[in-house]
Amino acid sequence: MVEAASRNHPLSECAAEVREHDPDRYLAALFAPAAAREALFALYAFDHEIAKVRHIVREPLAGMVRLQWWRDALDAIEAGEPRAQPVVAALHADWAQLKRLRPRLDAAIDAREIELSADPPADLATLEQRLEAGCGEIARAAVDLLDGHEEAAQAAARHVGLAL
């Protein structure tokens, strides 16, 4: 029965990527309002793309180049000229919802760039700062996307970001 439903309603490329690489956020996104679901999948797929950079490069400079590519891709989306890449296409398709989150997306890229450093965090506070900046920005972006402006929702996003 599930297979038949999947054939009738195929997953978007971003949803499939999130389901494969981040099943917890995939399942959570299924409970989001339908109007926000694909934007969440695009957001989470973007996070996966920038997070994996440090795992696939050997030199920090190569990682910086890849992260700069994502900054430039966001600029191209804003200019209405998205690059031919599935996650970029999904971000562009949902840009009306996501453009207000651009500062969070940029901050997440910046945080991933710091992760390329071979230097471990000096203390627990620095570690929490790094985690908040990376995963935390994406968690807060998801809450913002769902109009969770309440203090409790933002606090929860902080904790989710630390946990992720």
Side-chain angles (χ1 to χ4, degrees):
M1 182 67 145
V2 174
E3 288 180 29
S6 295
R7 281 193 301 267
N8 293 335
H9 302 286
L11 291 174
S12 66
E13 286 188 59
C14 286
E17 184 174 326
V18 174
R19 183 175 71 177
E20 179 180 345
H21 298 288
D22 196 345
D24 294 334
R25 287 199 283 187
Y26 170 78
L27 290 173
L30 294 178
F31 289 95
R37 203 169 294 142
E38 283 302 324
L40 283 171
F41 288 140
L43 178 66
Y44 296 151
F46 166 79
D47 184 45
H48 172 70
E49 290 292 327
I50 63 172
K52 76 179 184 182
V53 168
R54 73 182 178 118
H55 300 290
I56 61 174
V57 298
R58 292 182 186 213
E59 297 295 325
L61 184 58
M64 289 179 190
V65 168
R66 285 177 180 263
L67 293 173
Q68 184 60 47
W69 186 93
W70 280 101
R71 286 184 188 96
D72 294 344
L74 292 176
D75 289 341
I77 290 168
E78 279 196 318
E81 301 170 358
R83 296 175 172 188
Q85 196 271 359
V87 175
V88 172
L91 290 168
H92 181 255
D94 291 307
W95 197 245
Q97 295 179 69
L98 296 169
K99 66 181 170 186
R100 64 189 167 103
L101 307 177
R102 175 70 194 265
R104 294 211 186 277
L105 302 179
D106 288 330
I109 294 171
D110 293 343
R112 298 304 185 180
E113 191 170 282
I114 292 169
E115 288 178 356
L116 295 171
S117 165
D119 301 329
D123 52 31
L124 183 59
T126 305
L127 174 62
E128 282 189 10
Q129 270 183 325
R130 287 186 185 181
L131 294 173
E132 268 190 77
C135 292
E137 284 297 334
I138 297 299
R140 284 189 294 276
V143 167
D144 290 347
L145 182 64
L146 298 170
D147 294 323
H149 303 294
E150 301 84 18
E151 188 175 321
Q154 291 297 319
R158 177 186 182 275
H159 292 294
V160 167
L162 287 173
L164 287 172

